[in-house]
Amino acid sequence: MSDDQIHWFSIVNSLMIVLFLTGMVAMIMLRTLYRDISKYNELETQEEALEETGWKLVHGDVFRPPSNSDLLCVYVGTGVQFLGMVLVTMIFAVLGFLSPSNRGGLMTAMLLLWVSMGIFAGYASTNLYKMFKGAEWKKIAAKTAFMFPAIVFVIFFVLNALIWGQKSSGAVPFGTMFALVFLWFGISVPLVIVGGYVGFKKPAMEDPVKTNKIPRQIPEQAWYMNPIFSILIGGILPFGAVFIELFFILTSIWLNQFYYMFGFLFLVFIILLITCAEITIVLCYFQLCSEDYKWWWRSYLTSGSSALYLFLYAAFYFFTKLEITKLVSGLLYFGYMLIASYAFFVLTGTIGFYACFCFTRLIYSSLKID
């Protein structure tokens, strides 16, 4: 195994990012919110109340359901399923139940956990859907059960067909494929449906402020508040936090070295969670202050955009570190990295979304609005 020092260096580096972000979040929370809320609650006269500024102006629109809210529910559900799987796998690996020298063991554990976490996915997606005043929970539960696995399975199947075409022993045998499909349809789908049923039966969360009938106009935004720009900026920090561990993981997957650093990985994962949550909260706050209340999708995409950097880094790694000349091998690499990036997108996006969700509920519930 390589030296530990670089891991410690990367963790200290990431912790600096986290400290900086935590400072920013704390400052926003204390300074602006405390001052804003106390000032806001003192406003008695009508004239002053008319001259509201910043995030309080949009209180009547901030909990308006977004466009494509169905899709958002599905993605959030999938992300919860993923988060559960990754957390439990990590804890097992840190405690030493999963040995990295047994390659298949890790994959099998992850697949079984993914399948059993389906119940949380169904619960999360339908509960959010009910909050958006939706009625067809079965449709949402079905989409949650099929959408992400179907996309991954199609990519996987195409890649496997390519390896079959090469007559390689690395291809997944037909029996295993059948077992995977059985796990998906026999266990995962029913669990998602059960979770969906429970999630929809539970009472939905009440919005802390009432939503107006007519959506208000969003004023002209400054160039740096442009959705695409702020989404791309949001992905840099979470990616920066995991970037050195990523190098070791890629080396472990593609250059046949073993990865024993699960303790480090767990630390980095926790740092990733915190970074995603905080960068999304900061950018969401700036967005609400400039009177743009469309934060639902933006909060998901802000932290989810780190997956784009992950894919670009994988491409960089391919051209600088790997000596792959055959077309099929190259396609294989990019196909698997595409699946990994997609999974990373769902995971980080969901963390950002829930962070923002709690943040907006917190700041709007502390306002007194007549």
Side-chain angles (χ1 to χ4, degrees), residues 228-278:
I228 295 167
F229 182 75
S230 72
I231 283 169
L232 288 177
I233 288 294
I236 294 175
L237 286 176
F239 171 73
V242 294
F243 142 83
I244 295 186
E245 284 310 297
L246 194 66
F247 172 78
F248 287 100
I249 293 171
L250 286 180
T251 308
S252 139
I253 297 173
W254 300 108
L255 294 178
N256 275 325
Q257 294 181 4
F258 287 119
Y259 186 87
Y260 282 104
M261 304 271 186
F262 285 116
F264 282 122
L265 191 61
F266 192 64
L267 264 178
V268 168
F269 181 65
I270 299 298
I271 289 174
L272 173 74
L273 295 189
I274 299 171
T275 317
C276 284
E278 292 185 342

Side-chain angles (χ1 to χ4, degrees), residues 28 42 64 69 80 115 124 145 172 194 204 208 252-253 273 282 320 362:
I28 285 177
E42 281 164 12
R64 185 181 302 285
S69 55
V80 168
V115 171
V172 176
V194 168
S252 139
I253 297 173
L273 295 189
V282 170
T320 54
L362 181 77

Side-chain angles (χ1 to χ4, degrees), residues 12-171:
V12 169
N13 197 0
S14 311
L15 279 172
M16 286 297 148
I17 296 179
V18 168
L19 280 174
F20 165 69
L21 276 174
T22 311
M24 270 191 85
V25 171
M27 226 168 72
I28 285 177
M29 287 298 204
L30 290 170
R31 200 183 115 240
T32 36
L33 297 183
Y34 180 73
R35 197 191 64 206
D36 286 1
I37 289 164
S38 58
K39 196 171 81 185
Y40 189 69
N41 290 340
E42 281 164 12
L43 289 181
E44 297 303 322
T45 59
Q46 203 58 44
E47 292 79 35
E48 281 178 295
L50 288 173
E51 295 171 8
E52 299 177 26
T53 54
W55 52 272
K56 296 179 231 63
L57 278 173
V58 293
H59 65 74
D61 292 280
V62 82
F63 294 107
R64 185 181 302 285
S67 50
N68 295 338
S69 55
D70 297 14
L71 195 61
L72 184 66
C73 297
V74 171
Y75 266 115
V76 168
T78 308
V80 168
Q81 188 172 4
F82 227 91
L83 189 61
M85 179 197 83
V86 174
L87 264 175
V88 179
T89 311
M90 291 261 195
I91 291 167
F92 276 154
V94 169
L95 295 176
F97 291 124
L98 298 171
S99 163
S101 49
N102 175 7
R103 277 290 163 95
L106 202 61
M107 273 319 279
T108 313
M110 286 178 87
L111 272 170
L112 289 173
L113 278 168
W114 162 265
V115 171
S116 52
M117 290 291 167
I119 194 158
F120 297 113
Y123 180 87
S125 56
T126 54
N127 203 289
L128 187 65
Y129 181 65
K130 190 171 182 179
M131 207 189 101
F132 291 150
K133 311 280 188 284
E136 302 171 1
W137 68 271
K138 289 175 189 147
K139 192 177 77 178
I140 297 293
K143 275 187 186 170
T144 310
F146 289 112
M147 197 168 111
F148 180 83
I151 294 173
V152 171
F153 195 77
V154 165
I155 300 175
F156 182 64
F157 194 80
V158 169
L159 293 178
N160 209 38
L162 288 174
I163 312 179
W164 258 336
Q166 295 286 313
K167 310 243 184 319
S168 155
S169 61

Side-chain angles (χ1 to χ4, degrees), residues 162-232:
L162 288 174
I163 312 179
W164 258 336
Q166 295 286 313
K167 310 243 184 319
S168 155
S169 61
V172 176
F174 196 74
T176 314
M177 275 291 203
F178 184 74
L180 284 177
V181 173
F182 171 73
L183 274 177
W184 177 16
F185 283 95
I187 303 173
S188 181
V189 175
L191 278 178
V192 173
I193 303 290
V194 168
Y197 176 75
V198 176
F200 199 72
K201 280 284 164 278
K202 274 267 194 292
M205 283 197 247
E206 290 297 315
D207 293 336
V209 284
K210 285 195 172 66
T211 304
N212 294 339
K213 290 277 188 291
I214 300 161
R216 64 177 272 138
Q217 200 110 26
I218 298 176
E220 191 73 29
Q221 299 291 316
W223 62 270
Y224 51 84
M225 290 308 294
N226 180 6
I228 295 167
F229 182 75
S230 72
I231 283 169
L232 288 177

